[in-house]
Amino acid sequence: MNYEDTYIYEALSNDLEENILAIRQFMSYYSCALMEVETKFKVLNQQFSLHYDRNPIEQIESRIKSAPSIIQKLKSRNLPFTLEAIENNIFDIAGIRIIASFQSDIYKLSRYFLQQDDIHLLQTKDYISNPKFNGYRSLHLIVEVPIFLANEKRWVKVEVQFRTIAMDFWASLEHKIRYKKALSEERLAQVNEQLYTCALLCETLDATMENLHEPEDEFLMFPPPPTLTSRNAHEFRPSQVKQMQTLLEENKQITNKKLILIDVAGTIQTIDGKIPESAIQAIRKARSNGHLVFLVTRRAKGNVENDIFSIGFDGMIGGGGSYIEYNGQILKNQVFALHDLQRIVAYLQSKNLEFYIEASDGLYGSYGFTKRGVQALEEYGLQNPIVTDVFPDMTFPETLVQPNAIKINYILESYDDYLDFKENFPEFKCNTWGGKEGQAIFGDCLVENIKIQSTIEELADFLEIAKTDIISIGDSKVDIPMFEASGLSICMGSGCQKAKEAADWITRDTENDGLYHALEHFNII
């Protein structure tokens, strides 16, 4: 037994001998998944070489996360030391890095890779279009890939990183330089500033080398994948990165800037879907005063009405935390794996529960939702509702397993339906929603391992805004986690009792200018 084995065995169980085979087998799944992914990229590279007389991939590196790192991550997240906790919460155990020749190659390779029908995209983090504050650039994907064993097929998560040679050069040396032990705080600040300057030079180098490289017409027919953001492959105009940096610099210049997170239904909208004029004015005044205002909702972007977006926002957190958008740029987009969605759809159909699926590109309803949905919407508080009027963009396809799904909503015939669903799908984020006082009319299901608190922290870190400068405004029990991630939480006077108890302050009812009153009370407007 080697050191790595001993470390992880001791952390997971005192009975080492009983767990040796299970743990070794578990870790072997990730090694197998890496071989599958690496082979796919080698095939792509060979195909490019045959057709276009060049290889877009300079180097492929892979690694399995060390046992001490796995255990440390479990500790930092307060997770149990079990194989199940590792599998469901740590997605970068198997990691592969693709070093590409040019930045445009990164988006081409990622597109061809994701088009393969046995690759399920779970999460995208595009640090090329939206670099980290230290200057780090890379494209990160979390995918699931099948491995075929003697008696079963298993889906295993793999992290795929894409970098150019310049990106990899900077990232490798940055880590060695920044984490030298003997640096004083003053010297570290100087080093950080110089490293950031080097990152900009590397970005310029990538752009210059790409422009010098002769464009290949055969690639121009392939746009960047819709789930990713890419610069134009052959025209480097002022980049989205620079625009984002300019916005962030402007943000820093505004003193006492607040990040204001506002729920939609019951907060901006009344229970019957109307938007008070005072709410519109409050949001617009807050933004004109230099504050950042974000929508926060469990809905997918495709299920938010145009009337809401027309008010004007700096961005949104959607899907209960699976989606972040800022100034038109997607910072996070985590969706259901198709095989998971297929399981959920089959379960709901077997229980005769009507449902609809929210995706980033639309709404998809079950066959009986137009009929059964009428009663549910009446219970919600709408008068004489027509489902297709309430959801004008909803379609009813023959196949309900659609890509880019973020949320599933199903009508509860009884509360037991929610409890049974939660028991059958414990890995996902399940909740209920409905009328006043948190009445359970619908059950819903969000992508696994999504926590709104973590997403808000990600956004705040990106914007460099402290928790004390975050204000959240909501009305229901599902808004309580948002309250907990904020320095100041406000509940609408028309909100449910649990939300009121969790909030720091209670404003007037939604229809009685509650949003305007709250922002005025705290000198935001």
Side-chain angles (χ1 to χ4, degrees), residues 232-515:
N232 185 294
H234 302 288
E235 295 181 29
F236 280 80
R237 306 182 188 283
S239 71
Q240 295 170 338
V241 175
K242 290 293 190 299
Q243 295 172 13
M244 194 70 72
Q245 290 167 348
T246 300
L247 282 168
L248 294 172
E249 287 303 317
E250 290 174 353
N251 288 345
K252 294 176 187 177
Q253 295 172 11
I254 301 171
T255 59
N256 202 28
K257 169 187 288 295
K258 303 296 182 184
L259 171 60
I260 304 169
L261 310 174
I262 308 180
D263 171 54
V264 181
T267 303
I268 296 175
Q269 293 174 318
T270 59
I271 198 68
D272 57 358
K274 295 178 181 177
I275 306 174
E277 181 62 27
S278 62
I280 298 173
Q281 294 305 316
I283 292 167
R284 290 176 178 172
K285 284 185 178 182
R287 295 186 69 210
S288 68
N289 287 344
H291 303 289
L292 296 174
V293 183
F294 276 66
L295 284 176
V296 179
T297 176
R298 291 173 68 84
R299 306 185 207 174
K301 184 178 180 180
N303 193 27
V304 178
E305 300 91 331
N306 288 332
D307 287 349
I308 295 291
F309 286 124
S310 66
I311 297 172
F313 294 88
D314 295 284
M316 73 171 290
I317 296 175
S322 62
Y323 180 89
I324 306 176
E325 183 176 314
Y326 171 52
N327 195 44
Q329 305 300 315
I330 297 174
L331 307 183
K332 179 179 183 179
N333 187 25
Q334 191 168 339
V335 300
F336 279 102
L338 290 180
H339 70 276
D340 285 331
L341 187 59
Q342 190 170 22
R343 285 195 301 127
I344 295 170
V345 167
Y347 173 85
L348 293 172
Q349 290 174 333
S350 72
K351 298 294 184 180
N352 296 315
L353 297 174
E354 301 301 337
F355 62 95
Y356 66 95
I357 295 170
E358 299 181 34
S360 56
D361 55 358
L363 296 176
Y364 306 98
S366 62
Y367 178 76
F369 187 77
T370 52
K371 183 176 180 180
R372 178 63 182 87
V374 171
Q375 180 184 342
L377 293 172
E378 286 177 340
E379 292 175 10
Y380 182 74
L382 304 185
Q383 295 184 355
N384 303 316
I386 299 173
V387 170
T388 51
D389 288 344
V390 177
F391 302 106
D393 297 323
M394 184 177 289
T395 59
F396 303 88
E398 184 176 344
T399 300
L400 283 159
V401 180
Q402 300 288 335
N404 301 318
I406 291 176
K407 184 185 177 189
I408 301 155
N409 305 270
Y410 55 97
I411 301 173
L412 298 173
E413 300 300 335
S414 73
Y415 195 74
D416 286 340
D417 291 332
Y418 163 68
L419 297 177
D420 291 344
F421 185 98
K422 190 174 181 180
E423 182 178 351
N424 278 274
F425 299 98
E427 68 269 36
F428 298 110
K429 191 175 180 67
C430 303
N431 217 314
T432 64
W433 59 277
K436 291 186 176 181
E437 295 303 323
Q439 178 188 359
I441 300 171
F442 289 86
D444 68 23
C445 177
L446 294 169
V447 181
E448 62 181 325
N449 301 305
I450 289 296
K451 294 182 178 180
I452 187 66
Q453 298 100 315
S454 300
T455 301
I456 291 172
E457 287 174 8
E458 288 179 43
L459 177 61
D461 287 344
F462 180 80
L463 298 171
E464 293 189 318
I465 291 179
K467 179 179 179 179
T468 52
D469 290 322
I470 301 175
I471 300 174
S472 61
I473 310 175
D475 73 305
S476 67
K477 66 177 184 179
V478 297
D479 296 321
I480 293 175
M482 176 177 70
F483 289 172
E484 294 171 349
S486 308
L488 171 65
S489 56
I490 301 170
C491 184
M492 307 304 290
S494 45
C496 75
Q497 187 59 36
K498 287 185 178 179
K500 289 178 180 177
E501 292 171 357
D504 298 314
W505 194 74
I506 300 171
T507 185
R508 300 171 184 168
D509 291 357
T510 307
E511 56 270 27
N512 192 28
D513 305 327
L515 186 57

Side-chain angles (χ1 to χ4, degrees), residues 97-356:
R97 182 174 297 144
I98 308 300
I99 311 300
S101 305
F102 301 102
Q103 186 170 290
S104 58
D105 289 336
I106 288 175
Y107 290 102
K108 293 164 192 169
L109 287 165
S110 65
R111 176 178 176 82
Y112 302 145
F113 175 64
L114 293 175
Q115 282 178 338
Q116 299 181 25
D117 57 13
D118 59 347
I119 295 296
H120 296 158
L121 176 65
L122 301 181
Q123 185 176 344
T124 300
K125 290 187 177 180
D126 190 349
Y127 297 119
I128 299 175
S129 294
N130 304 291
K132 292 186 177 181
F133 281 105
N134 63 355
Y136 175 83
R137 294 185 302 134
S138 180
L139 174 63
H140 293 197
L141 307 178
I142 301 294
V143 300
E144 277 189 322
V145 60
I147 60 171
F148 297 88
L149 307 171
N151 300 312
E152 64 173 326
K153 178 176 79 171
R154 291 184 66 95
W155 289 89
V156 182
K157 297 177 179 68
V158 178
E159 180 186 53
V160 184
Q161 293 183 6
F162 296 86
R163 295 175 182 172
T164 63
I165 300 169
M167 294 175 194
D168 192 58
F169 163 78
W170 182 91
S172 298
L173 294 186
E174 183 267 353
H175 184 80
K176 293 179 181 179
I177 295 169
R178 189 189 296 272
Y179 296 101
K180 289 169 64 177
K181 301 294 184 182
L183 295 179
S184 65
E185 288 189 12
E186 182 179 357
R187 176 57 182 154
L188 182 59
Q190 293 172 348
V191 167
N192 288 343
E193 185 175 349
Q194 291 171 342
L195 284 170
Y196 183 75
T197 301
C198 290
L200 296 180
L201 291 173
C202 287
E203 181 182 1
T204 302
L205 178 62
D206 269 334
T208 303
M209 298 301 283
E210 179 114 32
N211 284 331
L212 290 173
H213 175 62
E214 183 179 348
E216 297 161 14
D217 293 338
E218 62 269 16
F219 292 142
L220 297 181
M221 66 183 75
F222 299 111
T227 55
L228 306 176
T229 304
S230 169
R231 303 174 194 172
N232 185 294
H234 302 288
E235 295 181 29
F236 280 80
R237 306 182 188 283
S239 71
Q240 295 170 338
V241 175
K242 290 293 190 299
Q243 295 172 13
M244 194 70 72
Q245 290 167 348
T246 300
L247 282 168
L248 294 172
E249 287 303 317
E250 290 174 353
N251 288 345
K252 294 176 187 177
Q253 295 172 11
I254 301 171
T255 59
N256 202 28
K257 169 187 288 295
K258 303 296 182 184
L259 171 60
I260 304 169
L261 310 174
I262 308 180
D263 171 54
V264 181
T267 303
I268 296 175
Q269 293 174 318
T270 59
I271 198 68
D272 57 358
K274 295 178 181 177
I275 306 174
E277 181 62 27
S278 62
I280 298 173
Q281 294 305 316
I283 292 167
R284 290 176 178 172
K285 284 185 178 182
R287 295 186 69 210
S288 68
N289 287 344
H291 303 289
L292 296 174
V293 183
F294 276 66
L295 284 176
V296 179
T297 176
R298 291 173 68 84
R299 306 185 207 174
K301 184 178 180 180
N303 193 27
V304 178
E305 300 91 331
N306 288 332
D307 287 349
I308 295 291
F309 286 124
S310 66
I311 297 172
F313 294 88
D314 295 284
M316 73 171 290
I317 296 175
S322 62
Y323 180 89
I324 306 176
E325 183 176 314
Y326 171 52
N327 195 44
Q329 305 300 315
I330 297 174
L331 307 183
K332 179 179 183 179
N333 187 25
Q334 191 168 339
V335 300
F336 279 102
L338 290 180
H339 70 276
D340 285 331
L341 187 59
Q342 190 170 22
R343 285 195 301 127
I344 295 170
V345 167
Y347 173 85
L348 293 172
Q349 290 174 333
S350 72
K351 298 294 184 180
N352 296 315
L353 297 174
E354 301 301 337
F355 62 95
Y356 66 95

Side-chain angles (χ1 to χ4, degrees), residues 60-90:
I60 299 177
E61 302 170 353
S62 62
R63 63 102 181 98
I64 297 292
K65 199 174 192 69
S66 70
S69 295
I70 294 172
I71 299 304
Q72 182 58 42
K73 187 164 279 193
L74 289 173
K75 286 181 178 178
S76 66
R77 297 184 182 181
N78 293 318
L79 294 169
F81 292 164
T82 64
L83 296 181
E84 184 180 8
I86 293 173
E87 184 175 13
N88 292 334
N89 295 279
I90 302 179

